[in-house]
Amino acid sequence: MLIIRRCAYSLIRLHSLCWKASYSTSTGVVLHRKRLFPPVSTVFWVSRAMEHTDLDYNELIEVRKSRDILLIDVRNRDELEGGSIPDSINVPLGELEAALKMDDQEFETQYKHKKPEKDAEIVFSCRSGNRSRRAMDLARTLGYDKSKHYIGGWLDWAEKTKN
């Protein structure tokens, strides 16, 4: 019975994503509702929200060991003087959209690395995790659907790798 109630509650929450609705807390009956957006976009939005896109330090280590990923540091060039995560390439956030739209040859010339394919696993990093999230969102809008970001950024990496 508890499982059925939880499923019913989940369906009510999903319904509330599609509709702006008020429910009676005692009966679960819809008191009023207004359409916010079509259900197809809701399902897409919900599935994207449930995707695991944030990597912490341990997850980043595991991903680097087990799979071929491209690590892109989106900090400005002058911020790299303090160090960077090994094997990462630098594409500043302000240049990222143009870089991902470049042809393969131009990207390789500018960034000294092969341009990632649309299905490549890309992990973005920055100083503390804010710009890397924006970079991941931008890359996903350009079709790089396997993009992720390292939530700790350089500060977390430097803290955890200092000896």
Side-chain angles (χ1 to χ4, degrees), residues 55-123:
L55 300 178
D56 63 19
Y57 176 80
N58 294 326
E59 291 169 321
L60 180 61
I61 295 296
E62 284 303 310
V63 168
R64 290 180 69 179
K65 286 180 186 175
S66 64
R67 297 195 293 273
D68 185 28
I69 65 161
L70 174 60
L71 186 59
I72 299 179
D73 189 331
V74 294
R75 293 180 292 164
N76 295 324
R77 287 180 181 87
D78 61 326
E79 294 178 85
L80 299 177
E81 293 171 3
S84 63
I85 299 173
D87 301 323
S88 64
I89 66 168
N90 178 242
V91 181
L93 182 59
E95 299 174 15
L96 183 63
E97 183 173 6
L100 293 177
K101 291 179 178 179
M102 286 178 181
D103 63 34
D104 296 348
Q105 183 80 20
E106 188 177 357
F107 186 94
E108 193 166 348
T109 302
Q110 177 122 7
Y111 299 105
K112 310 293 188 252
H113 194 279
K114 183 180 174 203
K115 182 182 173 188
E117 299 292 327
K118 296 273 186 175
D119 64 344
E121 289 192 69
I122 304 172
V123 177

Side-chain angles (χ1 to χ4, degrees), residues 150-162:
Y150 173 35
I151 58 175
W154 170 248
L155 294 178
D156 184 54
W157 180 272
E159 177 68 27
K160 293 200 166 120
T161 57
K162 72 179 180 184

Side-chain angles (χ1 to χ4, degrees), residues 125-160:
S125 71
C126 62
R127 181 179 160 272
S128 61
N130 294 322
R131 285 175 283 181
S132 60
R133 177 175 293 286
R134 288 191 309 219
M136 177 194 67
D137 290 340
L138 174 62
R140 284 176 168 261
T141 63
L142 295 174
Y144 294 87
D145 294 329
K146 292 185 179 178
S147 298
K148 299 181 184 297
H149 87 106
Y150 173 35
I151 58 175
W154 170 248
L155 294 178
D156 184 54
W157 180 272
E159 177 68 27
K160 293 200 166 120

